[in-house]
Amino acid sequence: MNFKPLFTLFFIAFMFSCKQETQHLTRIEGKQIAITDSLETDAGIEAFVKPYREHINKDLDSVISYAVATYSKSDGELNTAIGNLFADVIYEQSNPVFKKRTGKDIDMVLVNHGGIRSIISKGDITTRTAFEIMPFENSVVVAAIKGSQVNDLVDYLVTAKRAHPISKLNLTVDTNYQLVDAKINNKAIDTSKIYYVATNDYLYNGGDGMDFFKPSDSLYILNYKIRNALLDYFYKTDTINPVIDDRFIKLDQ
């Protein structure tokens, strides 16, 4: 029996079906749908989400400390109470972790003015407060850098003329913003020494133009979010009362 005509028939049918199924995308169209209060709420979704929202809000609104005044990052020219608190908390909470792992102490802390995203209002401090101050997922890292790089760090701060939060570092400038004195833990900066500087991962990677952290002798990742450091500090501190001090000042004359 000759199967050739039958095979030819099947082949033509197969090729025709493939051709029919082949489609070509010629145009994509879209439109913007604004998310506003005018959109109708889906009752089913709302009922599903409601208990979770209430649980989260209950946790966020739990009182964990108290502020004796309202603190803003715009309250001072070269250092602010909230910025000093921010940097000091990072030191106080991170240094025990660093020392346990390395046997060394953190020499100083530097974080960025822009990283403080909210005020601390007078009155109760809640868990939500920490999320408002630090909504980002930045973590604490400690970079081991040379004294010469610390001098670059100091030059950056003097040039910036901005209240970037610092701890354990003291700077004095004259009326023309020329550096008069710079000390870490009340000692002059030694260019031959390695300093352990706590910062956040964003700044270590060059954020805000802070390119003086690299190259670093070593980098220590503490796996400790700055927000968690704030929360841990608030939990253990009944009342906060940070102040503007002399860690970065300009002489009157």
Side-chain angles (χ1 to χ4, degrees):
M1 183 174 180
N2 186 2
F3 291 99
K4 186 174 181 180
L6 185 60
F7 175 80
T8 302
L9 180 63
F10 278 126
F11 179 77
I12 293 172
F14 173 77
M15 292 301 294
F16 181 78
S17 65
C18 289
K19 185 177 181 180
Q20 288 293 98
E21 292 175 0
T22 301
Q23 297 181 3
H24 299 282
L25 183 65
T26 58
R27 184 173 60 185
I28 298 176
E29 292 183 351
K31 63 179 181 179
Q32 185 179 27
I33 301 175
I35 300 176
T36 67
D37 293 339
S38 63
L39 292 177
E40 293 184 5
T41 301
D42 186 299
I45 294 177
E46 177 63 23
F48 179 80
V49 169
K50 183 179 178 181
Y52 297 97
R53 182 192 297 119
E54 291 176 347
H55 178 73
I56 290 173
N57 283 333
K58 182 178 179 181
D59 286 343
L60 289 175
D61 292 333
S62 59
V63 177
I64 55 178
S65 189
Y66 181 84
V68 300
T70 295
Y71 304 102
S72 167
K73 67 180 182 180
S74 62
D75 287 343
E77 181 185 8
L78 297 177
N79 78 89
T80 64
I82 192 173
N84 295 343
L85 173 72
F86 205 72
D88 289 346
V89 166
I90 291 172
Y91 178 84
E92 182 172 327
Q93 296 300 129
S94 300
N95 193 57
V97 178
F98 182 69
K99 189 161 189 174
K100 184 177 181 180
R101 294 184 187 178
T102 67
K104 305 177 186 297
D105 286 305
I106 292 170
D107 290 300
M108 61 159 287
V109 176
L110 167 65
V111 283
N112 54 322
H113 180 269
I116 303 173
R117 306 301 288 189
S118 178
I119 65 171
I120 296 177
S121 298
K122 179 180 179 179
D124 291 338
I125 293 175
T126 64
T127 303
R128 189 185 300 275
T129 306
F131 278 83
E132 290 172 344
I133 300 169
M134 173 46 68
F136 309 116
E137 296 300 306
N138 294 129
S139 295
V140 180
V141 299
V142 180
I145 63 176
K146 297 177 181 178
S148 57
Q149 290 169 273
V150 175
N151 283 334
D152 292 337
L153 180 158
V154 169
D155 289 342
Y156 175 96
L157 292 175
V158 171
T159 302
K161 304 181 184 69
R162 198 173 192 189
H164 290 297
I166 56 176
S167 185
K168 306 301 178 182
L169 171 68
N170 287 84
L171 303 175
T172 303
V173 294
D174 63 19
T175 54
N176 296 316
Y177 290 94
Q178 298 301 305
L179 183 66
V180 174
D181 192 33
K183 291 181 178 178
I184 294 178
N185 291 311
N186 297 316
K187 294 181 180 179
I189 297 168
D190 182 350
T191 56
S192 66
K193 181 180 176 180
I194 295 295
Y195 289 89
Y196 298 95
V197 182
T199 186
N200 63 51
D201 46 356
Y202 167 71
L203 297 182
Y204 176 77
N205 289 308
D208 278 11
M210 296 190 187
D211 55 5
F212 39 75
F213 287 112
K214 294 182 180 180
S216 56
D217 181 82
S218 301
L219 177 67
Y220 303 87
I221 299 172
L222 302 190
N223 296 313
Y224 195 11
K225 294 188 185 302
I226 292 178
R227 184 194 307 118
N228 290 345
L230 288 168
L231 284 169
D232 290 342
Y233 179 82
F234 291 147
Y235 281 129
K236 72 178 187 180
T237 307
D238 179 76
T239 302
I240 68 162
N241 185 21
V243 296
I244 297 172
D245 57 25
D246 63 350
R247 67 186 68 190
F248 191 0
I249 59 171
K250 182 177 70 170
L251 299 175
D252 293 333
Q253 57 183 13

